[in-house]
Structures are given as structure tokens and as C-alpha cells.
């Protein structure tokens, strides 16, 4: 069953096309990574899926609900409901600096799901344990490492029990020695039934975790394939990309 369907999606700024005429399907529970050179439209595509970027044309369907179609009027109430089933992890964490780790995770539970504080705290503590952040509940973001901040961000995204999580270069802002702790948390999430779409330059991680990999170049999807096939491709452009990052 497809959980996300893109049909001829196009995004541009003035005369510059960020991505052009992209069509693809992502299955429920699938882990799909997006790779490719900088400037190829990977992050913008991710942000467009969760509607943080406006799409100019095409059709976007999530969980059998059309949330964008430039030819039809969209039910805004249904769109909002569907978007709440999607979470996103950003490069720079986006935590509230004036709130503790626990308060950051409680926030969506209280404000969005209208859960009582006591119950929200219980759920948040369980989520922090899941991302190996027990014992840091009362720390502020300024008092923890980058890797820990990203794990808190993941716990916060999980708080709304999303069906889909989007990861936009989740380790790019981290010191090299902190990368693995975040990647390990994401690997543990992969054992569940959450659909994950990951933009990353961590090729070993992508190869290990992905069901399929999308290779983008100059705003186009060049290919979608399994890790085994993609990392052994004869495609000249993809081989050139791998040779530059190894």
C-alpha cells in the first residue's frame, strides 16, 4: 500500500526550477533515503512533502488523501489532519531554548493533542528513554551536546505518534564523534512500522538502513533502486558522485 504518492510535482523560484516533474510512490513502513549532490533539490522535496514549501504544480497524496493538487480545491481540515501524521527532524534541531528537554517533548502533546500535563510527562519520559536521553529531562538545550539535542528532537517528533517521519540531514550539524549516536537511534526506529524518508550524505548508513534509495541530480530523480543495485550501478553520473564522496 502506498502511503505517499507524488505525481508530476514541480517546484520553482522565479525562473529557477528546484525540482521538475517528479513522480514516485512510497509504501507504508518503507525506509527511503534521498541522496545526490548539494543543490539537487533533496531537502526542498522533503519540505514540500510536509508542506513547509509551496509546490507549484502536480499532485501530492498522503494516506489516500490529496493534500495538494493545483487543479482542485483541497479540504483544509483534512489536510491539517494528515499533516499531523507527519513529523520532521531538521538539521539544526529546532528545540525551544527556554524550555527543558522534558518540556520540549511535552509541548506537542499538550498543545496539539490536548493531553493533561501529568500524562504528557509520562509519555515524554518514555520517549526520552527510547532515544537514550533518560537523566537529561531537566537540562536545557544549551546544556546538552548536539547529538543529544537531535535525539530530543526525534523524541519530540515521536510524541505525536506519526505514521511518517522525514529526516533532513539529521547529522550534518554534528561533530563527527556524535554522528553514530543519532544514527543508532534512527536504526532502532526502523524496527517499527514508521515510514521514514531520509536525506543524508552518510552513505554507509543509507546503504544499511534503506529499502530503496532515490538519487537526485539537478532537480530530477535520476533513479530509484535498492541499495544493492544502486551501490553497484554502472550509471556514469552516480558512479562519479560516489567517487567524489569516498
Amino acid at each position: 500500500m502506498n502511503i505517499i504518492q507524488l505525481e508530476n510535482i514541480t517546484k520553482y523560484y522565479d525562473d529557477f526550477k528546484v525540482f521538475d516533474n517528479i513522480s514516485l510512490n512510497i509504501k507504508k513502513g518503507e525506509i527511503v533515503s534521498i541522496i545526490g549532490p548539494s543543490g539537487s533539490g533533496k531537502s526542498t522535496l522533503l519540505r514540500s512533502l510536509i508542506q513547509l514549501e509551496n509546490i507549484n504544480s502536480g499532485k501530492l497524496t498522503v494516506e489516500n488523501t490529496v493534500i495538494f493538487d493545483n487543479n482542485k480545491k483541497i479540504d483544509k481540515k483534512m489536510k491539517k489532519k494528515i499533516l499531523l501524521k507527519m513529523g520532521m527532524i531538521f538539521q539544526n534541531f529546532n528545540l525551544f531554548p527556554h524550555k527543558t528537554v522534558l518540556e520540549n517533548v511535552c509541548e506537542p502533546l499538550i498543545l496539539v493533542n490536548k493531553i493533561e500535563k501529568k500524562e504528557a510527562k509520562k509519555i515524554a519520559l518514555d520517549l526520552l528513554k527510547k532515544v537514550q536521553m533518560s537523566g537529561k529531562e531537566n537540562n536545557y538545550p544549551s546544556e546538552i551536546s548536539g547529538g543529544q539535542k537531535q535525539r530530543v528532537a526525534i523524541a519530540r517528533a515521536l510524541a505525536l505518534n506519526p505514521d511518517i517521519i522525514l529526516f533532513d540531514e539529521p547529522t550534518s550539524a554534528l561533530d563527527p564523534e556524535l554522528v553514530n549516536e543519532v544514527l543508532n537511534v534512527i536504526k532502532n526506529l526502523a524496527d517499527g512500522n514508521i515510514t521514514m524518508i531520509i536525506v543524508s550524505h552518510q552513505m554507509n548508513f543509507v546503504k544499511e538502513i534503506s529499502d530503496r534509495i532515490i538519487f537526485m541530480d539537478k532537480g530530477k530523480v535520476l533513479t530509484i533502486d535498492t541499495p544493492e543495485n544502486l551501490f553497484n550501478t554502472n550509471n556514469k553520473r552516480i558512479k562519479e558522485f560516489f567517487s567524489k564522496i569516498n
Side-chain angles (χ1 to χ4, degrees):
M1 171 188 167
N2 291 325
I3 195 168
I4 298 175
Q5 293 172 281
L6 287 78
E7 300 175 53
N8 306 116
I9 294 293
T10 297
K11 165 72 181 176
Y12 52 82
Y13 299 114
D14 298 323
D15 294 330
F16 174 68
K17 281 190 177 179
V18 185
F19 51 80
D20 186 21
N21 203 35
I22 290 179
S23 295
L24 57 91
N25 297 324
I26 295 171
K27 299 179 180 67
K28 184 176 175 61
E30 191 173 27
I31 300 166
V32 176
S33 294
I34 306 175
I35 66 172
S38 298
S40 57
K42 306 182 299 297
S43 291
T44 305
L45 178 60
L46 212 63
R47 293 171 64 86
S48 297
L49 293 179
I50 203 167
Q51 296 289 272
L52 293 175
E53 293 277 357
N54 293 322
I55 299 168
N56 295 104
S57 64
K59 183 178 177 181
L60 173 60
T61 305
V62 180
E63 296 200 349
N64 296 317
T65 300
V66 178
I67 64 170
F68 176 83
D69 187 338
N70 62 307
N71 294 316
K72 292 182 181 178
K73 191 174 180 180
I74 300 301
D75 185 327
K76 290 184 180 179
K77 190 174 179 180
M78 279 302 297
K79 177 179 177 177
K80 183 178 179 181
K81 184 179 177 181
I82 291 298
L83 288 175
L84 285 174
K85 294 184 178 183
M86 302 173 74
M88 185 159 180
I89 309 299
F90 299 89
Q91 297 179 26
N92 294 313
F93 326 125
N94 287 10
L95 299 178
F96 298 113
H98 60 291
K99 292 184 180 292
T100 65
V101 163
L102 183 61
E103 289 169 339
N104 264 281
V105 181
C106 284
E107 193 84 354
L109 290 165
I110 296 167
L111 294 183
V112 180
N113 284 3
K114 310 301 180 185
I115 293 174
E116 293 291 330
K117 278 190 176 182
K118 186 177 179 180
E119 180 63 18
K121 182 177 177 180
K122 182 177 180 296
I123 294 169
L125 287 171
D126 285 342
L127 289 169
L128 288 169
K129 183 178 180 181
K130 188 172 186 177
V131 299
Q132 300 158 30
M133 283 297 292
S134 295
K136 297 289 185 181
E137 300 88 353
N138 298 318
N139 288 86
Y140 287 88
S142 61
E143 299 171 331
I144 59 178
S145 71
Q148 290 171 329
K149 289 175 188 175
Q150 195 60 288
R151 284 186 275 156
V152 175
I154 292 170
R156 186 179 60 184
L158 290 171
L160 294 180
N161 196 28
D163 295 332
I164 302 161
I165 297 185
L166 312 176
F167 293 87
D168 184 14
E169 292 282 7
T171 60
S172 68
L174 302 181
D175 292 332
E177 65 267 24
L178 301 177
V179 168
N180 283 339
E181 65 184 60
V182 173
L183 296 183
N184 287 334
V185 167
I186 298 172
K187 286 177 189 176
N188 289 336
L189 293 181
D191 294 334
N193 197 35
I194 300 174
T195 303
M196 296 197 290
I197 306 173
I198 305 165
V199 170
S200 180
H201 281 108
Q202 299 288 336
M203 291 300 113
N204 288 335
F205 169 70
V206 162
K207 188 176 183 179
E208 181 181 346
I209 199 171
S210 306
D211 295 309
R212 288 189 299 158
I213 300 172
I214 297 168
F215 186 92
M216 288 186 68
D217 189 29
K218 297 179 180 176
K220 300 244 182 215
V221 171
L222 201 60
T223 189
I224 309 172
D225 214 331
T226 63
E228 183 180 3
N229 289 341
L230 193 73
F231 280 89
N232 291 287
T233 185
N234 288 319
N235 182 287
K236 185 178 178 181
R237 177 65 189 96
I238 299 174
K239 286 176 76 173
E240 178 188 25
F241 171 77
F242 286 145
S243 70
K244 287 181 177 178
I245 62 174
N246 289 331

